[in-house]
Structure formats: structure tokens, C-alpha cells
């Protein structure tokens, strides 16, 4: 993967020789960085470096389990203010040191992996909820704030952020924005890009930019949107103003099982088309029902799970519509139990670790596609993945819904003879099929290192526009370089 | 060790799904203070893949043994017990300076405060009362209230002074010294021939339970029993207090209700802090690292915002929270009728 001369990731290494892969940063740089953030907030011990040499990309886990060693960053800084972030960025520009913003490290695409000898700028000490504005339904929050703590603080005050990704316990606000994340309740509340009302960020030259929170605006392109999905390559997000919602007055759990995926999808499409927005809507295929709902839902059926929430009256009407559409598309009601089960287990993440410990390879891939090709895409990728040597599990669910289409979330696992070939082979199948059917290769996990090679096909002419923007804003190519297929800034030179 | 390494490996691969619950991570804000970061570092140290330096050996100690994370772990891991083998190695190799002074104090003086003290066995009775280091040396009011309450209820008690249960040594990784100290307590109990051991400190309770033939009580449950048996009268009080659950009593042993029940029987209104019962935040007092002090500060603030007076059932919690300016009393003091 060390394409274009930037060394990332893990190398074969003799155990216990960690220092070997640890490039030193210039003493003068370290001294200045220390002066800026303070002794305690500039870390160079191996434990800190190693902890930032990985994120939640599962291929990294596979390598780790096979004894490979990570490429270490040169230092980790924990700024406590926007001024400190800006100072660090300017310092890196002066010394030509690459830098990588780091939030919770829960990204699953390798986006936060530092190139050798980079400065990691960890935002987790910028962790305060600065303001909750109930009248205007806005919250101002620092980028390093932990998601769970953010939601808990809002709940205490009678609100919800409406953004509940499965990684909520560990991810940060800045990471959500940098990856255009989606929460489990996104069908009602939207993805993070729908929730950002204003931003503060440090640009690649160290200048601080801020946008006010306004309902909507027509004063030219809203350039803060460049940071949504920027994956640390166009600046460091330091603060966000996010839309919030009154804590739901009522919640209604419903579930239905269907003999086929097509029926479940059709019911969902009709519900969305009629203007209803269930907070949670998840459609699981038979395999996932077997894996996650054993003993709760009849085996072999497709499960549609709903959690409706909001104003009491609205929920009541929505409940009737959901019930009517599911029944008329061939669904049978299966009660509240599956929803309760899901609510109880939705943060239980353990299977992937167990597969890797057992010597296997596992990953998840999410894409988005129009309704008209959704079932076709599912069938096509399933068939192709199942044909790969060593594959033992392929399953899928649909989990974020729009009037025009859906997100398909796939899980695959195998015990192949060549793990790397298997891994990239599986990704190739899903990416190609999605592009062929006109979908987008990522709905919410982002690009990072995993999807970089398909970005030309994904973006077409926009890729060179993006590269030009990168080159113009970051001419030295220091901000999280080498990522996402456009993070090298080639268009700028 | 295989089992421990295997669990640490699974934890090292986990995307830190309990991160938000860890009070040390919340105040330290670093990756290596997060549960997964501590597990990863511990694993690498055990495997010899990280150099043993003072700084690299810090993360396994950045844990308050509070088990707040356990509630959210899909594997039900008990992280403190997974960090323990690393601490054992670190104790004899290299460790943070704060741990170093704790180890020395425990070795030389037999208590975490490093002050000299004598072993004394005072009085006679069927119950042995071990106040523990903090009640004896820093929060003597707790000890005195407990003795007066016992006397008032007509319970004959032997006071054991100068004894440490050994838990501070154990947590610092010095198993040998911990065993010696626990052995001394067991020895004196055997020589006295008592069948009941009464403790003010939930940490002692955690470490001394399981002594054969000896029934072990914490003061909160013991006093409730005396009240219910009609052997102990309660004064009438009025006012609002909040209650802080010590980890070793609440989360680890499920003793949430007896202290609350007593407070209510006294006539007090008990308001719950934001994080309470299973989710109560550790006081930070049992851990010598600088970061733990930040946890104390944060918890003290939360309690101060809940009510004017906090009641707890652990001398170490009282000491650690009081040190941050919180108005806090031990239940035994309140049972005597004190509210200030
Ligand atoms: C178990 C699990 C479940 C998940 N569930 C979901 C889910 O439901 N929905 C979803 O959308 N995602 C999910 N993810 C993926 C991941 O949690 C998200 O991508 C999340 O947004 C990453 O946030 P983070 O703070 O951990 O970012 P990191 O992993 O630290 O960083 C991700 C990227 O953002 C950049 N970055 C981080 N902070 C900043 C900043 N302040 N400014 C600029 N750039 C920054 C980094 O450089 C990197 O490129 C899941 C991951 C796991 C492991
Ligand atoms: S036991 Fe407490 S301090 Fe230790 S890792 Fe768990 S939550 Fe953090
Ligand atoms: S203790 Fe459990 S939940 Fe927490 S990081 Fe480890 S494996 Fe994950």
C-alpha cells in the first residue's frame, strides 16, 4: 500500500523492535511544539505512538494478529484550544512535518493512520459542550467531545442530538463530520451533514475560519461544507454547531417479518414516499436474523425493525402507516421484542474481534443506491462474495432510508489461504458492482485508505477539482497526506 | 497468563466500546488512558514488544479498579484484573514515580500514607473492628463514631489498629507485601478467635472477604441489621443529602440500598447525583497517580451540585472528596446525629 512514496500501515517486523519503525522528529520542532501545548500534552513515548498508529480498520486488526508492526508517528499532541491547534498547524508548515487529526480512532477505513514520523493532533482534550440553545435547537460543541457524553449531556437537558452511530461510545464529533457519518436514527434526523449548522476549523495554513449558524443562506457556496467528509485533508475541525431536537415525547417499537427482501424493501419505499420518517428502520436478511436475532425472530425470514419517535400525535399516525404498508407488502407483525432486543444489544461489538482472533478475515462495507437497483445490488454482491475462496459468511442489512434510495450494509468473513488477496478481492466485488449499478461506494464510513483506488470511478471529473482544491489549500501536502485518492494534492502542482 | 493475554488481545482489537464510561479517560483525555489503550499497552508490555520505561508502564496504572467499564463490555471483561499481571511485573521493574512511593511506603510503613504507626488491639468482644488505614490515619472521626455506635448498641468490639488489609500493595502490583499484610490481619483474627469482622472500608471488604469461618460485614449493612433487630436507635434528622456509592461497595458488591435505607430512616431526603448506583463515578482516592486527582475533583463537583451535604460509606471516598473541598460525612457520623 505504500503508494506514492508515503509509508503507512504495518510491516513485517520482529517482535520487540518497536523503535525500529519510529522515525524521529527534529529536536527543535519538538521543543517548539512543547512550548506551544505544554510538556504534558506533547507525547513521544512508544505507548502513545502505538495507540495512534491504528484505528478501527479491521485489516489493521488482521495484521496485528499476524505479528506485523505499525509505522509509528513521530509525536502526538493534545491541543486544548483552537489557538493551540492553529499554532501546531503553522509549526508543521514551517518544519514541513505531515500531520493527522485524530478523534476516537473508530474510523474503519484507515483514515486516521499516520504516515511515518507525522505529528498526530489528537482532539480529545477539546471535549466541552459549550452551549445548548434550546430556543433555536442548536448545540455548540468542541470537536473532540465523545459522542456518548455529548448525547448524555443533551438528554439531561431535555434534548437529543439525533446522531447515534454504533460507535457512539467511542467516536468524536470531529470524526463524525470528517467522515460524513450516519447514526442509527438517521432516517428521521439525517446524517451528520444534515445536522451541521456551523463550523470552526483551522485551515492547512493555520488560519482559523468560522461560519455562523444560520437556518439557510444564499451567499455563494457554503465553503464550510468542504470540511464535511474532508477526512482531515483540508483542515482540522475544532468546533461545530449542531442541530438538536426535543427529547422524543413518545417512542413506538414495531417489527414485521417478510418472506422476501423485496417485500420488506417495497414497504419501506412506500413509507418514505408518503413522507414518513421512522427514526430507526432496519431491514435484516435471513443470515443476519440468524446471527443477531436467534431465538427472537423466526429463522429464514427477513426482519423489518422500526422505532418511531417524536411528537405523540405524529408517532401515532406514523405507526398506522407503517403497519398498513408492511401488511400490504406481505409482512406479518412480530411485536416489540425484536426492537427491545436490538436496543439492548446494539452496541455489543465482539464478533469481528473473535473472527480475527480465530485467524479469520472480516470486514463491513456500506454503499448507497437508488430504490430501483437496491435488491439487484444486494443479490449481485452476495452471489459474487459467496464465490470467493475461503468465504464463510456473507450477510446484509439496509439501515438508512431516503425517498430516493437506501444504504446497503454488508458483512463478510472468511478463512482464506491468502488473507490479503481475499480481502481486496471482496472489496473489489462490492465496489465494482455498486459503481456498475450507479450507486455510491460509501454511504457513511468514508474513503480513507480502503476506497482510495476506486475514487476516480466514483467521482469522475470532480476528482481533479477536489485535488486542485487540496493543492491550493495545502500546497505542501501536509494535512493527512496520501488518503482517499485525492489527499496527495497532485492537482495543485 | 495465556488467558490474560488472550483477553487483552480481544480488548486491544475492540474499538473502545466502553471508552465513555472510564472516568480516567474523561479527565486525562489521552488515548493511553482509555480502556482499550490501556489494554493494548498492557498486552505489548507483557509480550515484550514495548520497551519498559516509566512512561510506557503508566497506562496499566491509569485505572482506578472501579469496574465502571465492565457494565458496557460485550465480553464482560474485568479490566483491573487484566492489568494486574502487568502491574506485578512493573512493580519489580519500572513504574511511575507515584507508584514507586506507594510501594515504598507500603513496604516500609505498611500503610499508603507512609506515616509511622503501631499495631494495637484494644478492647474485648465478639466482633473485631478493623477501621483500615484511612479511617485510622486521616478520617479518625469515622473510627470514633463507629466505636460509639457499637458501644451504644451494646456490641462488644475489639479494635484493630495499625493493620492494613494489603489492598494498596496488591493494586500497586506488590503481591508479596499484600499477602504479608493480609496474613497479619488474618493472624490477629485467628488469635482473638472472633467470628465477625466489621469494616469501615469497602476496599478492605473487597480484599478480606472469603476468610474461612469469619463473617465479614461492612458498617452500612451491620448497622442496618442492628436497627432492624431493634438493638440500635436512630436520631431524628431532617434535610437533604446526596449519597455517593463507593465502587467496592456498590458496583462490585451490589450494596446500594442499605445505606440509603438508613438515611431515609433518619428522616433525610436523599437526592441522587447524576451518575449514581451502578453508574456512580469513582472517587479516585485509591489510586496514587496524578490523573486520579482529576477524577476526585470532577466527582466532588458533581456531588456539590447535587446537594449541600454528601454522605458516603467509605473513609477513602470521604478523604478524597473532602480534599477537593466537598462537604462530606461518613454514614457512621450521620447515624450519630451529625450533619455538619
Ligand atoms: C463498532 C463501530 C461502529 C461504527 N458505527 C458507525 C455508524 O453507525 N455510523 C457511522 O457513520 N460510522 C460508524 N463507524 C465508523 C466510525 O465510528 C465513524 O467514521 C466516526 O465518525 C469516526 O469518528 P472518530 O472520532 O473515531 O474519528 P477517527 O477515526 O479518529 O478519524 C476519522 C477520520 O477523521 C479525521 N478527523 C478526526 N477528527 C477530526 C477533526 N477534528 N478535524 C478534521 N479531521 C478529523 C481523521 O484524520 C480521520 O481521517 C463505526 C465504527 C466502529 C468501529
Ligand atoms: S476499571 Fe474504571 S478506571 Fe479502570 S478502565 Fe475501567 S472504567 Fe477505567
Ligand atoms: S473492556 Fe470490553 S468494551 Fe472496553 S475496550 Fe475492552 S473489550 Fe472493549
Amino acid at each position: 500500500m505504500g503508494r506514492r512514496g508515503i509509508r503507512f500501515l504495518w510491516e513485517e517486523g520482529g517482535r520487540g523492535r518497536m523503535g525500529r519503525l519510529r522515525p524521529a522528529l527534529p529536536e527543535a520542532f519538538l521543543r517548539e511544539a512543547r512550548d506551544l501545548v505544554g510538556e504534558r500534552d506533547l507525547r513521544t513515548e512508544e505507548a502513545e505512538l502505538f495507540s495512534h498508529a491504528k484505528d478501527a480498520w479491521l485489516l489493521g486488526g488482521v495484521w496485528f494478529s499476524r505479528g506485523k508492526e505499525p509505522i509509528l508517528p513521530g509525536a502526538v499532541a493534545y491541543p486544548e484550544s483552537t489557538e493551540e491547534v492553529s499554532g501546531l498547524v503553522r509549526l508543521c508548515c514551517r518544519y514541513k512535518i505531515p500531520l493527522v487529526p485524530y478523534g476516537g480512532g473508530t474510523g474503519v477505513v484507515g483514515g486516521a493512520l499516520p504516515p511515518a514520523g507525522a505529528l498526530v493532533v489528537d482532539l480529545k482534550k477539546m471535549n466541552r459542550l459549550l452551549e445548548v440553545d434550546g430556543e433555536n435547537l442548536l448545540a455548540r460543541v468542541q470537536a473532540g467531545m465523545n459522542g456518548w457524553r455529548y448525547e448524555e449531556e443533551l438528554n439531561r437537558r431535555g434534548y437529543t442530538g439525533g446522531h447515534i452511530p454504533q460507535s457512539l461510545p467511542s467516536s468524536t464529533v470531529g470524526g463524525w463530520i470528517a467522515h460524513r457519518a450516519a447514526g442509527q436514527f438517521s432516517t428521521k434526523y439525517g446524517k451528520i451533514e444534515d445536522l451541521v449548522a456551523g463550523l470552526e476549523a483551522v485551515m492547512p495554513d493555520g488560519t482559523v475560519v468560522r461560519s455562523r449558524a444560520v437556518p439557510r443562506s444564499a451567499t455563494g457556496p457554503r465553503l464550510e461544507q468542504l470540511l464535511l467528509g474532508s477526512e482531515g485533508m483540508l483542515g482540522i475541525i475544532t468546533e461545530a454547531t449542531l442541530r438538536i431536537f426535543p427529547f422524543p415525547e413518545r417512542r413506538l417499537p414495531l417489527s414485521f417479518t417478510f418472506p422476501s427482501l423485496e417485500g420488506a424493501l417495497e414497504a419501506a419505499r412506500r413509507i418514505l414516499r408518503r413522507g414518513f420518517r421512522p427514526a430507526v428502520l432496519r431491514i435484516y436478511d435471513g443470515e443476519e436474523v440468524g446471527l443477531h436475532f436467534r431465538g427472537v425472530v423466526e429463522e429464514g425470514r427477513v426482519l423489518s425493525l422500526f422505532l418511531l419517535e417524536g411528537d405523540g400525535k405524529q408517532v401515532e399516525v406514523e405507526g398506522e402507516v407503517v403497519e398498513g404498508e408492511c401488511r400490504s407488502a406481505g409482512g406479518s407483525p412480530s411485536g416489540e421484542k425484536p426492537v427491545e432486543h436490538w436496543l439492548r444489544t446494539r452496541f455489543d461489538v465482539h464478533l469481528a474481534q473473535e473472527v480475527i482472533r480465530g485467524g479469520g478475515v472480516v470486514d463491513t462495507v456500506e454503499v448507497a443506491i437508488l430504490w430501483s437497483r437496491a435488491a439487484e445490488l444486494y443479490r449481485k454482491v452476495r452471489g459474487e462474495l459467496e464465490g470467493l475462496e475461503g468465504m464463510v459468511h456473507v450477510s446484509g442489512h439496509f439501515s438508512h432510508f431516503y425517498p430516493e434510495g437506501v444504504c446497503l450494509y454488508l458483512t463478510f468473513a472468511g478463512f482464506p489461504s491468502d488473507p490479503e488477496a481475499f480481502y481486496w478481492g471482496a472489496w473489489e466485488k462490492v465496489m465494482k458492482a455498486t459503481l456498475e449499478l450507479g450507486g455510491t461506494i460509501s454511504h457513511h464510513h468514508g474513503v480513507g485508505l480502503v476506497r482510495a483506488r476506486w475514487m476516480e470511478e466514483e467521482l469522475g471529473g470532480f476528482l481533479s477539482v477536489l485535488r486542485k482544491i487540496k493543492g491550493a489549500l495545502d500546497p505542501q501536502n501536509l494535512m493527512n497526506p496520501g488518503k482517499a485518492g485525492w489527499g496527495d494534492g497532485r492537482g495543485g502542482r | 497468563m495465556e488467558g490474560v493475554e488472550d483477553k487483552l488481545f480481544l480488548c486491544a482489537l475492540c474499538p473502545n466500546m466502553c471508552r465513555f464510561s472510564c472516568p480516567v479517560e474523561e479527565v486525562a483525555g489521552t488515548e493511553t488512558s482509555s480502556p482499550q489503550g490501556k489494554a493494548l499497552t498492557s498486552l505489548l508490555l507483557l509480550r515484550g514488544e514495548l520497551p519498559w520505561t516509566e512512561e510506557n508502564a503508566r497506562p496499566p496504572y491509569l485505572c482506578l479498579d472501579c469496574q465502571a467499564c465492565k457494565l458496557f463490555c460485550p465480553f464482560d471483561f474485568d479490566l483491573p484484573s487484566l492489568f494486574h499481571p502487568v502491574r506485578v511485573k512493573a512493580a519489580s521493574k519500572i513504574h511511575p514515580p507515584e507508584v514507586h512511593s506507594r510501594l515504598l511506603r507500603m513496604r516500609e510503613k505498611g500503610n499508603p500514607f507512609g506515616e509511622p504507626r503501631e499495631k494495637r488491639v484494644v478492647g474485648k468482644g465478639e466482633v473485631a473492628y478493623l477501621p483500615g488505614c484511612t479511617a485510622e490515619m486521616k478520617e479518625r472521626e469515622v473510627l470514633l463514631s463507629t466505636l460509639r455506635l457499637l458501644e451504644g448498641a451494646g456490641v462488644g468490639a475489639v479494635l484493630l489498629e495499625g493493620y492494613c488489609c494489603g489492598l494498596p500493595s496488591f493494586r500497586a502490583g506488590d503481591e508479596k507485601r499484600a499477602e504479608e499484610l493480609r496474613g497479619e490481619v488474618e493472624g490477629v483474627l485467628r488469635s482473638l478467635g472472633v467470628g465477625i469482622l466489621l469494616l469501615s472500608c469497602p476496599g478492605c471488604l473487597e480484599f478480606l472477604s472469603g476468610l474461612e469461618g469469619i463473617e465479614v460485614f461492612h458498617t452500612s449493612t451491620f448497622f442496618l441489621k442492628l436497627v432492624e433487630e431493634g438493638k440500635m436507635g436512630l436520631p431524628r434528622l431532617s434535610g437533604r443529602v446526596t449519597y455517593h456509592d463507593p465502587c467496592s461497595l456498590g458496583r462490585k458488591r451490589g450494596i446500594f440500598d442499605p445505606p440509603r435505607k438508613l438515611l431515609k430512616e433518619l428522616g433525610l431526603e436523599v437526592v441522587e447525583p447524576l451518575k449514581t448506583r451502578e453508574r456512580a463515578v469513582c472517587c479516585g482516592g485509591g489510586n496514587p497517580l496524578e490523573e486520579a486527582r482529576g477524577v476526585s475533583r470532577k466527582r466532588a463537583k458533581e456531588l456539590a451540585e447535587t446537594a449541600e451535604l454528601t454522605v458516603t460509606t467509605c473513609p477513602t471516598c470521604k478523604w478524597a472528596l473532602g480534599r477537593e473541598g466537598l462537604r462530606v460525612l461518613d454514614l457512621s457520623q450521620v447515624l450519630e446525629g451529625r450533619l455538619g
Side-chain angles (χ1 to χ4, degrees), chain B residues 21-24 35 38 62-69 79-80 83:
Chain B
S21 69
C22 177
V24 184
K38 290 181 273 209
L62 282 173
C63 171
L64 309 172
D65 301 73
C66 77
Q67 288 191 356
C69 50
L79 281 187
F83 302 152

Side-chain angles (χ1 to χ4, degrees), chain A residues 242-291:
Chain A
L242 300 180
R243 302 194 166 90
I244 58 172
F245 307 85
F247 195 80
E249 180 184 294
R250 182 159 176 224
R251 276 190 163 174
L252 179 62
L254 291 170
S255 76
F256 299 83
T257 65
F258 291 81
S260 77
L261 190 71
E262 280 75 2
L265 283 172
E266 183 54 17
R269 188 180 72 87
R270 287 196 219 146
I271 292 164
L272 269 286
R273 187 186 175 83
R274 287 177 65 181
F276 291 90
R277 299 287 179 270
V280 178
L281 169 43
R282 301 174 75 84
I283 299 176
Y284 293 93
D285 71 3
E287 280 65 30
E288 297 220 346
V289 166
L291 196 62

Side-chain angles (χ1 to χ4, degrees), chain B residues 54-55 57-58 61-62 95-106 112 168 172 286-293:
Chain B
E54 221 171 79
E55 286 163 318
R58 197 170 182 85
Y61 286 103
L62 282 173
H95 34 257
E98 302 98 312
V99 175
H100 191 67
S101 35
R102 162 127 329 163
L103 287 167
L104 281 184
R105 288 165 168 191
M106 291 302 295
N287 184 300
L289 263 54
E290 182 197 322
E291 289 84 344
R293 198 64 203 262

Side-chain angles (χ1 to χ4, degrees), chain A residues 297-368:
Chain A
V297 175
E298 190 187 335
E299 247 173 79
R301 301 278 292 183
V302 168
L303 171 69
S304 278
L305 185 151
F306 295 85
L307 186 63
L308 315 178
E309 68 174 38
D311 177 85
K313 280 214 176 94
Q314 183 196 329
V315 168
E316 198 180 309
V317 178
E318 196 167 51
E320 284 164 20
V321 170
V322 165
E323 169 117 31
E325 292 295 358
C326 284
R327 280 184 192 274
S328 76
S332 331
S334 45
E336 295 181 9
K337 267 223 175 91
V339 189
E340 282 161 11
H341 175 79
W342 175 77
L343 281 170
R344 214 174 30 249
T345 55
R346 68 194 159 128
F347 297 117
D348 280 5
V349 174
H350 61 102
L351 290 171
Q353 295 97 294
E354 282 171 7
V355 171
I356 291 173
R357 181 189 47 176
V361 178
V362 55
D363 209 357
T364 62
V365 190
E366 29 60 63
V367 297

Side-chain angles (χ1 to χ4, degrees), chain A residues 4-57:
Chain A
R4 299 182 199 133
I6 296 172
R7 283 165 78 223
F8 283 112
L9 304 181
W10 305 56
E11 294 192 343
E12 301 289 350
R15 292 224 159 136
R17 294 161 63 206
M18 198 67 70
R20 192 175 55 91
L21 301 177
R22 178 184 172 178
L25 284 168
E27 246 334 296
F29 170 82
L30 291 174
R31 204 176 323 113
E32 286 198 54
R34 231 171 246 130
D35 287 347
L36 241 164
V37 294
E39 182 83 32
R40 203 173 44 124
D41 288 339
L42 200 272
R43 313 289 286 256
T44 51
E45 73 266 30
E46 292 84 353
E48 271 292 327
L49 302 184
F50 200 121
S51 290
H52 288 88
K54 48 112 202 98
D55 60 6
W57 184 13

Side-chain angles (χ1 to χ4, degrees), chain A residues 103-292:
Chain A
T106 68
V108 288
V109 292
L113 296 183
L119 176 74
V120 173
V121 179
D122 189 317
L123 278 296
K124 281 195 289 291
K125 290 200 181 183
M126 294 182 62
N127 59 4
R128 280 179 303 130
L129 176 55
L130 301 168
E131 192 187 342
V132 176
D133 173 355
E135 182 178 10
N136 298 307
L137 290 176
L138 294 170
R140 204 155 62 82
V141 57
Q142 287 186 306
M145 185 161 195
N146 171 282
W148 188 292
R149 293 179 190 141
Y150 171 64
E151 178 64 16
E152 218 166 44
E153 284 283 322
L154 289 178
N155 293 172
R156 258 180 71 197
R157 295 165 162 86
Y159 301 95
T160 173
H163 185 74
I164 318 285
Q166 191 190 33
S167 57
L168 190 79
S170 186
S171 57
T172 65
V173 171
W176 298 343
I177 298 171
H179 268 331
R180 297 181 84 97
Q184 294 161 339
F185 292 55
S186 79
T187 300
K188 180 178 176 74
Y189 300 107
K191 286 182 74 202
I192 196 72
E193 62 260 36
D194 304 307
L195 298 172
V196 173
L199 273 186
E200 178 193 84
V202 174
M203 299 311 281
D205 63 355
T207 46
V208 179
V209 292
R210 283 189 194 89
S211 68
R212 286 190 310 279
V214 288
R216 289 296 185 271
S217 167
T219 48
R222 292 289 285 183
L223 281 181
E224 82 265 22
Q225 296 200 357
L226 268 178
L227 287 152
L228 289 160
S230 61
E231 305 196 359
M233 293 178 289
L234 295 177
I236 302 185
I237 301 149
T238 46
E239 195 184 298
T241 304
L242 300 180
R243 302 194 166 90
I244 58 172
F245 307 85
F247 195 80
E249 180 184 294
R250 182 159 176 224
R251 276 190 163 174
L252 179 62
L254 291 170
S255 76
F256 299 83
T257 65
F258 291 81
S260 77
L261 190 71
E262 280 75 2
L265 283 172
E266 183 54 17
R269 188 180 72 87
R270 287 196 219 146
I271 292 164
L272 269 286
R273 187 186 175 83
R274 287 177 65 181
F276 291 90
R277 299 287 179 270
V280 178
L281 169 43
R282 301 174 75 84
I283 299 176
Y284 293 93
D285 71 3
E287 280 65 30
E288 297 220 346
V289 166
L291 196 62
H292 302 302

